[in-house]
PDB file of all heavy atoms in Angstrom:
ATOM      1  N   ASN A  59     -12.942 -10.071   2.816  1.00  0.00           N
ATOM      2  CA  ASN A  59     -12.461 -11.465   2.761  1.00  0.00           C
ATOM      3  C   ASN A  59     -12.793 -12.221   4.036  1.00  0.00           C
ATOM      4  O   ASN A  59     -12.051 -13.113   4.441  1.00  0.00           O
ATOM      5  CB  ASN A  59     -10.935 -11.492   2.587  1.00  0.00           C
ATOM      6  CG  ASN A  59     -10.507 -11.018   1.218  1.00  0.00           C
ATOM      7  OD1 ASN A  59     -10.510 -11.785   0.262  1.00  0.00           O
ATOM      8  ND2 ASN A  59     -10.155  -9.742   1.109  1.00  0.00           N
ATOM      9  N   ALA A  60     -13.909 -11.851   4.660  1.00  0.00           N
ATOM     10  CA  ALA A  60     -14.215 -12.401   5.985  1.00  0.00           C
ATOM     11  C   ALA A  60     -14.287 -13.926   5.971  1.00  0.00           C
ATOM     12  O   ALA A  60     -14.000 -14.573   6.978  1.00  0.00           O
ATOM     13  CB  ALA A  60     -15.528 -11.829   6.507  1.00  0.00           C
ATOM     14  N   ARG A  61     -14.660 -14.468   4.825  1.00  0.00           N
ATOM     15  CA  ARG A  61     -14.815 -15.927   4.775  1.00  0.00           C
ATOM     16  C   ARG A  61     -13.550 -16.644   4.304  1.00  0.00           C
ATOM     17  O   ARG A  61     -13.584 -17.831   4.010  1.00  0.00           O
ATOM     18  CB  ARG A  61     -16.026 -16.280   3.914  1.00  0.00           C
ATOM     19  CG  ARG A  61     -17.301 -15.949   4.669  1.00  0.00           C
ATOM     20  CD  ARG A  61     -18.561 -16.033   3.872  1.00  0.00           C
ATOM     21  NE  ARG A  61     -19.683 -15.601   4.704  1.00  0.00           N
ATOM     22  CZ  ARG A  61     -20.033 -14.340   4.934  1.00  0.00           C
ATOM     23  NH1 ARG A  61     -19.346 -13.348   4.380  1.00  0.00           N
ATOM     24  NH2 ARG A  61     -21.046 -14.044   5.721  1.00  0.00           N
ATOM     25  N   ASP A  62     -12.468 -15.898   4.211  1.00  0.00           N
ATOM     26  CA  ASP A  62     -11.214 -16.506   3.759  1.00  0.00           C
ATOM     27  C   ASP A  62     -10.055 -16.128   4.685  1.00  0.00           C
ATOM     28  O   ASP A  62      -9.046 -15.566   4.251  1.00  0.00           O
ATOM     29  CB  ASP A  62     -10.930 -16.044   2.317  1.00  0.00           C
ATOM     30  CG  ASP A  62      -9.964 -16.971   1.600  1.00  0.00           C
ATOM     31  OD1 ASP A  62      -9.431 -17.903   2.248  1.00  0.00           O
ATOM     32  OD2 ASP A  62      -9.733 -16.748   0.403  1.00  0.00           O
ATOM     33  N   PRO A  63     -10.209 -16.476   5.992  1.00  0.00           N
ATOM     34  CA  PRO A  63      -9.168 -16.064   6.942  1.00  0.00           C
ATOM     35  C   PRO A  63      -7.807 -16.682   6.638  1.00  0.00           C
ATOM     36  O   PRO A  63      -6.774 -16.101   6.957  1.00  0.00           O
ATOM     37  CB  PRO A  63      -9.702 -16.542   8.295  1.00  0.00           C
ATOM     38  CG  PRO A  63     -10.741 -17.562   7.990  1.00  0.00           C
ATOM     39  CD  PRO A  63     -11.313 -17.210   6.656  1.00  0.00           C
ATOM     40  N   LYS A  64      -7.803 -17.837   5.983  1.00  0.00           N
ATOM     41  CA  LYS A  64      -6.523 -18.485   5.689  1.00  0.00           C
ATOM     42  C   LYS A  64      -5.707 -17.629   4.726  1.00  0.00           C
ATOM     43  O   LYS A  64      -4.493 -17.490   4.874  1.00  0.00           O
ATOM     44  CB  LYS A  64      -6.761 -19.878   5.101  1.00  0.00           C
ATOM     45  CG  LYS A  64      -5.460 -20.628   4.863  1.00  0.00           C
ATOM     46  CD  LYS A  64      -5.660 -22.066   4.410  1.00  0.00           C
ATOM     47  CE  LYS A  64      -4.339 -22.809   4.287  1.00  0.00           C
ATOM     48  NZ  LYS A  64      -3.339 -22.140   3.472  1.00  0.00           N
ATOM     49  N   LYS A  65      -6.396 -17.060   3.734  1.00  0.00           N
ATOM     50  CA  LYS A  65      -5.691 -16.198   2.784  1.00  0.00           C
ATOM     51  C   LYS A  65      -5.018 -15.040   3.520  1.00  0.00           C
ATOM     52  O   LYS A  65      -3.862 -14.703   3.258  1.00  0.00           O
ATOM     53  CB  LYS A  65      -6.672 -15.656   1.728  1.00  0.00           C
ATOM     54  CG  LYS A  65      -6.038 -14.629   0.812  1.00  0.00           C
ATOM     55  CD  LYS A  65      -6.827 -14.400  -0.457  1.00  0.00           C
ATOM     56  CE  LYS A  65      -7.839 -13.291  -0.297  1.00  0.00           C
ATOM     57  NZ  LYS A  65      -8.625 -13.057  -1.521  1.00  0.00           N
ATOM     58  N   ILE A  66      -5.748 -14.459   4.458  1.00  0.00           N
ATOM     59  CA  ILE A  66      -5.222 -13.303   5.186  1.00  0.00           C
ATOM     60  C   ILE A  66      -4.036 -13.728   6.055  1.00  0.00           C
ATOM     61  O   ILE A  66      -2.988 -13.084   6.069  1.00  0.00           O
ATOM     62  CB  ILE A  66      -6.341 -12.643   6.012  1.00  0.00           C
ATOM     63  CG1 ILE A  66      -7.394 -12.073   5.051  1.00  0.00           C
ATOM     64  CG2 ILE A  66      -5.782 -11.571   6.937  1.00  0.00           C
ATOM     65  CD1 ILE A  66      -8.659 -11.576   5.697  1.00  0.00           C
ATOM     66  N   ARG A  67      -4.211 -14.849   6.736  1.00  0.00           N
ATOM     67  CA  ARG A  67      -3.145 -15.344   7.611  1.00  0.00           C
ATOM     68  C   ARG A  67      -1.880 -15.660   6.811  1.00  0.00           C
ATOM     69  O   ARG A  67      -0.764 -15.290   7.184  1.00  0.00           O
ATOM     70  CB  ARG A  67      -3.645 -16.599   8.334  1.00  0.00           C
ATOM     71  CG  ARG A  67      -2.833 -16.899   9.551  1.00  0.00           C
ATOM     72  CD  ARG A  67      -3.248 -18.196  10.224  1.00  0.00           C
ATOM     73  NE  ARG A  67      -2.198 -18.511  11.177  1.00  0.00           N
ATOM     74  CZ  ARG A  67      -2.330 -18.418  12.483  1.00  0.00           C
ATOM     75  NH1 ARG A  67      -3.474 -18.080  13.018  1.00  0.00           N
ATOM     76  NH2 ARG A  67      -1.306 -18.690  13.277  1.00  0.00           N
ATOM     77  N   ASP A  68      -2.053 -16.347   5.689  1.00  0.00           N
ATOM     78  CA  ASP A  68      -0.891 -16.684   4.855  1.00  0.00           C
ATOM     79  C   ASP A  68      -0.227 -15.432   4.289  1.00  0.00           C
ATOM     80  O   ASP A  68       0.994 -15.364   4.152  1.00  0.00           O
ATOM     81  CB  ASP A  68      -1.310 -17.598   3.688  1.00  0.00           C
ATOM     82  CG  ASP A  68      -1.730 -18.988   4.165  1.00  0.00           C
ATOM     83  OD1 ASP A  68      -1.430 -19.323   5.336  1.00  0.00           O
ATOM     84  OD2 ASP A  68      -2.354 -19.723   3.380  1.00  0.00           O
ATOM     85  N   SER A  69      -1.053 -14.458   3.938  1.00  0.00           N
ATOM     86  CA  SER A  69      -0.506 -13.252   3.312  1.00  0.00           C
ATOM     87  C   SER A  69       0.255 -12.376   4.298  1.00  0.00           C
ATOM     88  O   SER A  69       1.083 -11.560   3.902  1.00  0.00           O
ATOM     89  CB  SER A  69      -1.629 -12.434   2.670  1.00  0.00           C
ATOM     90  OG  SER A  69      -2.309 -13.223   1.710  1.00  0.00           O
ATOM     91  N   LEU A  70      -0.053 -12.554   5.573  1.00  0.00           N
ATOM     92  CA  LEU A  70       0.607 -11.735   6.595  1.00  0.00           C
ATOM     93  C   LEU A  70       2.136 -11.869   6.503  1.00  0.00           C
ATOM     94  O   LEU A  70       2.864 -10.879   6.416  1.00  0.00           O
ATOM     95  CB  LEU A  70       0.123 -12.214   7.965  1.00  0.00           C
ATOM     96  CG  LEU A  70       0.362 -11.292   9.134  1.00  0.00           C
ATOM     97  CD1 LEU A  70      -0.673 -10.194   9.147  1.00  0.00           C
ATOM     98  CD2 LEU A  70       0.282 -12.071  10.442  1.00  0.00           C
ATOM     99  N   THR A  71       2.612 -13.098   6.494  1.00  0.00           N
ATOM    100  CA  THR A  71       4.068 -13.285   6.433  1.00  0.00           C
ATOM    101  C   THR A  71       4.608 -12.947   5.045  1.00  0.00           C
ATOM    102  O   THR A  71       5.723 -12.440   4.926  1.00  0.00           O
ATOM    103  CB  THR A  71       4.470 -14.734   6.789  1.00  0.00           C
ATOM    104  OG1 THR A  71       3.516 -15.632   6.254  1.00  0.00           O
ATOM    105  CG2 THR A  71       4.579 -14.920   8.286  1.00  0.00           C
ATOM    106  N   GLU A  72       3.808 -13.185   4.008  1.00  0.00           N
ATOM    107  CA  GLU A  72       4.273 -12.853   2.652  1.00  0.00           C
ATOM    108  C   GLU A  72       4.512 -11.342   2.529  1.00  0.00           C
ATOM    109  O   GLU A  72       5.533 -10.895   1.992  1.00  0.00           O
ATOM    110  CB  GLU A  72       3.254 -13.290   1.596  1.00  0.00           C
ATOM    111  CG  GLU A  72       3.001 -14.795   1.540  1.00  0.00           C
ATOM    112  CD  GLU A  72       4.195 -15.597   1.022  1.00  0.00           C
ATOM    113  OE1 GLU A  72       5.174 -15.003   0.539  1.00  0.00           O
ATOM    114  OE2 GLU A  72       4.143 -16.842   1.125  1.00  0.00           O
ATOM    115  N   VAL A  73       3.554 -10.576   3.031  1.00  0.00           N
ATOM    116  CA  VAL A  73       3.698  -9.113   2.951  1.00  0.00           C
ATOM    117  C   VAL A  73       4.879  -8.660   3.816  1.00  0.00           C
ATOM    118  O   VAL A  73       5.680  -7.806   3.401  1.00  0.00           O
ATOM    119  CB  VAL A  73       2.377  -8.411   3.361  1.00  0.00           C
ATOM    120  CG1 VAL A  73       2.576  -6.913   3.529  1.00  0.00           C
ATOM    121  CG2 VAL A  73       1.287  -8.695   2.333  1.00  0.00           C
ATOM    122  N   ALA A  74       5.024  -9.257   4.997  1.00  0.00           N
ATOM    123  CA  ALA A  74       6.156  -8.898   5.857  1.00  0.00           C
ATOM    124  C   ALA A  74       7.479  -9.191   5.143  1.00  0.00           C
ATOM    125  O   ALA A  74       8.423  -8.390   5.187  1.00  0.00           O
ATOM    126  CB  ALA A  74       6.080  -9.651   7.181  1.00  0.00           C
ATOM    127  N   LEU A  75       7.549 -10.329   4.444  1.00  0.00           N
ATOM    128  CA  LEU A  75       8.772 -10.668   3.695  1.00  0.00           C
ATOM    129  C   LEU A  75       9.017  -9.647   2.585  1.00  0.00           C
ATOM    130  O   LEU A  75      10.159  -9.220   2.360  1.00  0.00           O
ATOM    131  CB  LEU A  75       8.662 -12.074   3.093  1.00  0.00           C
ATOM    132  CG  LEU A  75       8.793 -13.236   4.080  1.00  0.00           C
ATOM    133  CD1 LEU A  75       8.471 -14.562   3.385  1.00  0.00           C
ATOM    134  CD2 LEU A  75      10.207 -13.284   4.681  1.00  0.00           C
ATOM    135  N   ASP A  76       7.947  -9.257   1.895  1.00  0.00           N
ATOM    136  CA  ASP A  76       8.102  -8.241   0.846  1.00  0.00           C
ATOM    137  C   ASP A  76       8.658  -6.943   1.432  1.00  0.00           C
ATOM    138  O   ASP A  76       9.531  -6.303   0.842  1.00  0.00           O
ATOM    139  CB  ASP A  76       6.753  -7.975   0.152  1.00  0.00           C
ATOM    140  CG  ASP A  76       6.302  -9.142  -0.741  1.00  0.00           C
ATOM    141  OD1 ASP A  76       7.180  -9.815  -1.316  1.00  0.00           O
ATOM    142  OD2 ASP A  76       5.082  -9.382  -0.851  1.00  0.00           O
ATOM    143  N   TYR A  77       8.157  -6.556   2.591  1.00  0.00           N
ATOM    144  CA  TYR A  77       8.631  -5.324   3.238  1.00  0.00           C
ATOM    145  C   TYR A  77      10.136  -5.405   3.513  1.00  0.00           C
ATOM    146  O   TYR A  77      10.889  -4.481   3.207  1.00  0.00           O
ATOM    147  CB  TYR A  77       7.935  -5.120   4.591  1.00  0.00           C
ATOM    148  CG  TYR A  77       6.487  -4.667   4.548  1.00  0.00           C
ATOM    149  CD1 TYR A  77       5.705  -4.720   5.701  1.00  0.00           C
ATOM    150  CD2 TYR A  77       5.909  -4.154   3.392  1.00  0.00           C
ATOM    151  CE1 TYR A  77       4.399  -4.289   5.706  1.00  0.00           C
ATOM    152  CE2 TYR A  77       4.587  -3.722   3.389  1.00  0.00           C
ATOM    153  CZ  TYR A  77       3.834  -3.797   4.548  1.00  0.00           C
ATOM    154  OH  TYR A  77       2.540  -3.374   4.570  1.00  0.00           O
ATOM    155  N   LEU A  78      10.533  -6.510   4.147  1.00  0.00           N
ATOM    156  CA  LEU A  78      11.953  -6.631   4.517  1.00  0.00           C
ATOM    157  C   LEU A  78      12.818  -6.713   3.268  1.00  0.00           C
ATOM    158  O   LEU A  78      13.911  -6.153   3.217  1.00  0.00           O
ATOM    159  CB  LEU A  78      12.162  -7.869   5.398  1.00  0.00           C
ATOM    160  CG  LEU A  78      11.426  -7.834   6.745  1.00  0.00           C
ATOM    161  CD1 LEU A  78      11.591  -9.166   7.470  1.00  0.00           C
ATOM    162  CD2 LEU A  78      11.931  -6.693   7.624  1.00  0.00           C
ATOM    163  N   ALA A  79      12.294  -7.399   2.252  1.00  0.00           N
ATOM    164  CA  ALA A  79      13.070  -7.582   1.021  1.00  0.00           C
ATOM    165  C   ALA A  79      13.377  -6.251   0.332  1.00  0.00           C
ATOM    166  O   ALA A  79      14.456  -6.069  -0.218  1.00  0.00           O
ATOM    167  CB  ALA A  79      12.308  -8.505   0.063  1.00  0.00           C
ATOM    168  N   VAL A  80      12.432  -5.313   0.365  1.00  0.00           N
ATOM    169  CA  VAL A  80      12.684  -4.031  -0.317  1.00  0.00           C
ATOM    170  C   VAL A  80      13.497  -3.074   0.540  1.00  0.00           C
ATOM    171  O   VAL A  80      13.925  -2.026   0.056  1.00  0.00           O
ATOM    172  CB  VAL A  80      11.380  -3.324  -0.767  1.00  0.00           C
ATOM    173  CG1 VAL A  80      10.618  -4.184  -1.753  1.00  0.00           C
ATOM    174  CG2 VAL A  80      10.513  -2.934   0.416  1.00  0.00           C
ATOM    175  N   GLY A  81      13.696  -3.426   1.812  1.00  0.00           N
ATOM    176  CA  GLY A  81      14.582  -2.588   2.623  1.00  0.00           C
ATOM    177  C   GLY A  81      13.919  -1.883   3.795  1.00  0.00           C
ATOM    178  O   GLY A  81      14.549  -1.049   4.442  1.00  0.00           O
ATOM    179  N   LEU A  82      12.660  -2.189   4.064  1.00  0.00           N
ATOM    180  CA  LEU A  82      12.106  -1.668   5.319  1.00  0.00           C
ATOM    181  C   LEU A  82      12.848  -2.380   6.440  1.00  0.00           C
ATOM    182  O   LEU A  82      13.062  -3.588   6.388  1.00  0.00           O
ATOM    183  CB  LEU A  82      10.600  -1.915   5.414  1.00  0.00           C
ATOM    184  CG  LEU A  82       9.715  -1.012   4.549  1.00  0.00           C
ATOM    185  CD1 LEU A  82       8.248  -1.375   4.746  1.00  0.00           C
ATOM    186  CD2 LEU A  82       9.924   0.467   4.864  1.00  0.00           C
ATOM    187  N   ASP A  83      13.246  -1.599   7.439  1.00  0.00           N
ATOM    188  CA  ASP A  83      14.112  -2.121   8.485  1.00  0.00           C
ATOM    189  C   ASP A  83      13.407  -1.965   9.828  1.00  0.00           C
ATOM    190  O   ASP A  83      13.132  -0.838  10.257  1.00  0.00           O
ATOM    191  CB  ASP A  83      15.422  -1.302   8.445  1.00  0.00           C
ATOM    192  CG  ASP A  83      16.361  -1.677   9.574  1.00  0.00           C
ATOM    193  OD1 ASP A  83      15.989  -2.515  10.428  1.00  0.00           O
ATOM    194  OD2 ASP A  83      17.466  -1.103   9.607  1.00  0.00           O
ATOM    195  N   PRO A  84      13.102  -3.086  10.483  1.00  0.00           N
ATOM    196  CA  PRO A  84      12.354  -2.991  11.745  1.00  0.00           C
ATOM    197  C   PRO A  84      13.082  -2.199  12.829  1.00  0.00           C
ATOM    198  O   PRO A  84      12.458  -1.804  13.812  1.00  0.00           O
ATOM    199  CB  PRO A  84      12.154  -4.452  12.163  1.00  0.00           C
ATOM    200  CG  PRO A  84      13.004  -5.276  11.276  1.00  0.00           C
ATOM    201  CD  PRO A  84      13.367  -4.472  10.070  1.00  0.00           C
ATOM    202  N   LYS A  85      14.371  -1.934  12.641  1.00  0.00           N
ATOM    203  CA  LYS A  85      15.075  -1.080  13.610  1.00  0.00           C
ATOM    204  C   LYS A  85      14.677   0.384  13.419  1.00  0.00           C
ATOM    205  O   LYS A  85      14.808   1.200  14.323  1.00  0.00           O
ATOM    206  CB  LYS A  85      16.585  -1.220  13.435  1.00  0.00           C
ATOM    207  CG  LYS A  85      17.107  -2.553  13.922  1.00  0.00           C
ATOM    208  CD  LYS A  85      18.616  -2.455  14.170  1.00  0.00           C
ATOM    209  CE  LYS A  85      19.214  -3.829  14.338  1.00  0.00           C
ATOM    210  NZ  LYS A  85      19.313  -4.547  13.033  1.00  0.00           N
ATOM    211  N   LYS A  86      14.236   0.710  12.195  1.00  0.00           N
ATOM    212  CA  LYS A  86      13.882   2.105  11.919  1.00  0.00           C
ATOM    213  C   LYS A  86      12.378   2.300  11.756  1.00  0.00           C
ATOM    214  O   LYS A  86      11.871   3.393  11.983  1.00  0.00           O
ATOM    215  CB  LYS A  86      14.566   2.555  10.620  1.00  0.00           C
ATOM    216  CG  LYS A  86      16.082   2.501  10.666  1.00  0.00           C
ATOM    217  CD  LYS A  86      16.640   2.895   9.307  1.00  0.00           C
ATOM    218  CE  LYS A  86      18.155   2.757   9.273  1.00  0.00           C
ATOM    219  NZ  LYS A  86      18.627   2.616   7.871  1.00  0.00           N
ATOM    220  N   THR A  87      11.700   1.266  11.284  1.00  0.00           N
ATOM    221  CA  THR A  87      10.261   1.352  11.001  1.00  0.00           C
ATOM    222  C   THR A  87       9.510   0.380  11.895  1.00  0.00           C
ATOM    223  O   THR A  87       9.890  -0.791  11.978  1.00  0.00           O
ATOM    224  CB  THR A  87       9.996   0.987   9.517  1.00  0.00           C
ATOM    225  OG1 THR A  87      10.576   1.992   8.673  1.00  0.00           O
ATOM    226  CG2 THR A  87       8.504   0.918   9.211  1.00  0.00           C
ATOM    227  N   THR A  88       8.467   0.857  12.541  1.00  0.00           N
ATOM    228  CA  THR A  88       7.618  -0.039  13.326  1.00  0.00           C
ATOM    229  C   THR A  88       6.688  -0.766  12.364  1.00  0.00           C
ATOM    230  O   THR A  88       5.797  -0.156  11.780  1.00  0.00           O
ATOM    231  CB  THR A  88       6.793   0.757  14.363  1.00  0.00           C
ATOM    232  OG1 THR A  88       7.696   1.480  15.199  1.00  0.00           O
ATOM    233  CG2 THR A  88       5.936  -0.173  15.206  1.00  0.00           C
ATOM    234  N   ILE A  89       6.952  -2.046  12.162  1.00  0.00           N
ATOM    235  CA  ILE A  89       6.108  -2.857  11.287  1.00  0.00           C
ATOM    236  C   ILE A  89       5.169  -3.643  12.189  1.00  0.00           C
ATOM    237  O   ILE A  89       5.629  -4.370  13.075  1.00  0.00           O
ATOM    238  CB  ILE A  89       6.971  -3.803  10.415  1.00  0.00           C
ATOM    239  CG1 ILE A  89       7.997  -2.978   9.606  1.00  0.00           C
ATOM    240  CG2 ILE A  89       6.092  -4.638   9.482  1.00  0.00           C
ATOM    241  CD1 ILE A  89       9.007  -3.837   8.817  1.00  0.00           C
ATOM    242  N   PHE A  90       3.860  -3.467  12.003  1.00  0.00           N
ATOM    243  CA  PHE A  90       2.921  -4.081  12.960  1.00  0.00           C
ATOM    244  C   PHE A  90       1.652  -4.566  12.276  1.00  0.00           C
ATOM    245  O   PHE A  90       1.448  -4.341  11.084  1.00  0.00           O
ATOM    246  CB  PHE A  90       2.602  -3.095  14.091  1.00  0.00           C
ATOM    247  CG  PHE A  90       1.762  -1.925  13.655  1.00  0.00           C
ATOM    248  CD1 PHE A  90       0.398  -1.896  13.920  1.00  0.00           C
ATOM    249  CD2 PHE A  90       2.322  -0.849  12.970  1.00  0.00           C
ATOM    250  CE1 PHE A  90      -0.395  -0.820  13.529  1.00  0.00           C
ATOM    251  CE2 PHE A  90       1.547   0.228  12.565  1.00  0.00           C
ATOM    252  CZ  PHE A  90       0.182   0.239  12.847  1.00  0.00           C
ATOM    253  N   VAL A  91       0.823  -5.245  13.061  1.00  0.00           N
ATOM    254  CA  VAL A  91      -0.381  -5.886  12.530  1.00  0.00           C
ATOM    255  C   VAL A  91      -1.624  -5.204  13.115  1.00  0.00           C
ATOM    256  O   VAL A  91      -1.792  -5.134  14.335  1.00  0.00           O
ATOM    257  CB  VAL A  91      -0.382  -7.397  12.869  1.00  0.00           C
ATOM    258  CG1 VAL A  91      -1.601  -8.080  12.265  1.00  0.00           C
ATOM    259  CG2 VAL A  91       0.908  -8.061  12.368  1.00  0.00           C
TER     260      VAL A  91
END
Side-chain angles (χ1 to χ4, degrees):
N59 290 277
R61 287 170 184 81
D62 200 354
K64 184 174 184 308
K65 173 163 90 180
I66 295 171
R67 199 184 167 108
D68 292 345
S69 302
L70 196 79
T71 38
E72 297 291 351
V73 170
L75 286 172
D76 289 327
Y77 286 167
L78 297 174
V80 299
L82 285 180
D83 175 357
K85 288 199 193 74
K86 299 177 184 158
T87 293
T88 302
I89 304 174
F90 70 101
V91 183

